Amino acid sequence: MALGKDYVAQECSIARALEVIGERWTLLVVRDAFYGIRRYSDFLGHLGLPRAVLATRLQALERAGVLEKRRYQDSPPRDEYVLTDSGIALWPILRSLSVWGTAHVAGTKRLRVFTHADCGTELGSYGECPACSTAVPPQDVEMLPGEGLDPEPSDPVSRALLRPRRLLQPLEADRV
Amino acid sequence: MALGKDYVAQECSIARALEVIGERWTLLVVRDAFYGIRRYSDFLGHLGLPRAVLATRLQALERAGVLEKRRYQDSPPRDEYVLTDSGIALWPILRSLSVWGTAHVAGTKRLRVFTHADCGTELGSYGECPACSTAVPPQDVEMLPGEGLDPEPSDPVSRALLRPRRLLQPLEADRV
DNA sequence: CAGCGTAGGTTCATTCATTGAACTCAAATC
DNA sequence: GATTTGAGTTCAATGAATGAACCTACGCTG
């Protein structure tokens, strides 16, 4: 988001946050990173966005310190994009967006259910566990498919995401 | 956000939420509504966005049921835009964005401080009161200027917002 | 009552971002 | 040697954002 056109005039931490994660597709890339997606081609296949936009977003998120690019093999050279601590701190934002979307956008069924892995209780509005009354870190969140989800999606990433899984757990582990 | 270019392929409540509030400027309009701004000209002066964009956003938010347009005088006819219950439910999203922006975007000082009006305690990350351990509804949130804020802003709306005030309280009440 | 001011918009040309398709490049595999 | 695969970059066409100017209905002032 560039100059004059950016939110620079805004003395506001919300505006600053939106400078980083407010562009089109950006938060969906971050969401996918929470789902365990780490590779360019998996983001591409799952999000269905233009390659050029994905490359731009990944670079911007890396520069902002939300994602870290790391080499996972040398020959051929391949990199993966992993959430940093700063990126993991975005979880409450995604959680509150998801809660609001389910409750207030017409026709949104429960598509995914998030539970506290330790006790199986469904998370509250802020991502806390009502039973244990603690904030649940994303590592301890279990994601389960909800009723509204297509049971036979065409792309392999969506198919892998139909299985219950921990947030942040790399997708490679249980690829079909 | 139109077709093919929208997030329709995404079976995801986050994507649905972003369809409504994910466009440029939209969340800042909503933020201003929480600050008590209700009139076209006040949004315009405070946000500094093009009039055409403001008109488009206000209409979209009204259609989505986030804002309600209501006539507050008949001659000349004047309308104001007020948050609906669905709009007020966006508060946790704004709160978590603000917390993340302050903590993780370089150089962001505390610009505004939010406290539980009943007890004066500063809100926690999710907008809860650590002292009373309850979620604080925006009506009960007091907003105070932080250190990083310009003490002599040029536009009258920013000047009015330097005073401590309740969220959602109409700005007209204490206009300078 | 003529002229000016004001709130709340539209319209318009220019600039900028997004899209979708095609192209590149290096390494691995057939 | 030919093909495939991952990870990009380049490019023309489309769509959205910007900033300025214009419009309209009403109220106010002299």
Side-chain angles (χ1 to χ4, degrees), chain B residues 59-70:
Chain B
Q59 273 170 39
L61 285 171
E62 196 197 350
R63 239 174 312 140
V66 171
L67 294 179
E68 189 192 356
K69 183 178 189 170
R70 22 177 230 229

Side-chain angles (χ1 to χ4, degrees), chain B residues 98-114:
Chain B
S98 169
V99 168
W100 188 85
T102 304
H104 293 97
V105 179
T108 302
K109 292 195 204 142
R110 276 151 47 97
L111 296 164
R112 296 187 191 279
V113 177
F114 297 89

Side-chain angles (χ1 to χ4, degrees), chain A residues 1 5 10 24 31, chain B residues 1 5 10 24 31 86:
Chain A
M1 230 174 278
K5 303 86 203 274
Q10 301 297 320
R24 198 158 156 60
R31 174 204 66 183
Chain B
M1 229 174 280
K5 303 85 201 278
Q10 302 296 320
R24 197 159 157 58
R31 174 204 66 181
S86 170

Side-chain angles (χ1 to χ4, degrees), chain B residues 103-131:
Chain B
H104 293 97
V105 179
T108 302
K109 292 195 204 142
R110 276 151 47 97
L111 296 164
R112 296 187 191 279
V113 177
F114 297 89
T115 64
H116 185 194
D118 293 0
C119 70
T121 313
E122 188 170 354
L123 297 188
S125 300
Y126 304 119
E128 85 287 5
C129 175

Side-chain angles (χ1 to χ4, degrees), chain A residues 27-38 43 66-67 81-95 114 136-139 141 143 161 165-171, chain B residues 14 100:
Chain A
L27 267 177
L28 294 184
V29 171
V30 172
R31 174 204 66 183
D32 276 11
F34 273 100
Y35 288 178
I37 295 176
R38 300 182 161 194
F43 284 110
V66 171
L67 294 179
Y81 296 87
V82 186
L83 287 167
T84 61
D85 288 346
S86 170
I88 291 174
L90 289 168
W91 172 241
I93 298 175
L94 291 177
R95 176 66 190 162
F114 297 89
V136 181
Q139 292 85 350
V141 172
M143 176 169 83
L161 292 176
R165 38 184 296 109
R166 289 288 182 103
L167 290 186
L168 300 175
Q169 188 196 340
L171 194 68
Chain B
I14 297 173
W100 188 85

Side-chain angles (χ1 to χ4, degrees), chain A residues 107-131:
Chain A
T108 303
K109 293 195 203 141
R110 277 152 45 98
L111 296 165
R112 296 187 190 279
V113 177
F114 297 89
T115 64
H116 185 194
D118 294 359
C119 70
T121 313
E122 189 171 353
L123 297 188
S125 299
Y126 304 120
E128 85 287 4
C129 175

Side-chain angles (χ1 to χ4, degrees), chain A residues 136-174:
Chain A
V136 181
Q139 292 85 350
D140 297 340
V141 172
E142 179 114 9
M143 176 169 83
L144 308 148
E147 318 101 56
L149 220 52
D150 176 3
E152 288 289 340
S154 57
D155 82 293
V157 174
S158 297
R159 239 176 297 128
L161 292 176
L162 285 178
R163 278 208 276 280
R165 38 184 296 109
R166 289 288 182 103
L167 290 186
L168 300 175
Q169 188 196 340
L171 194 68
E172 286 66 59
D174 54 357

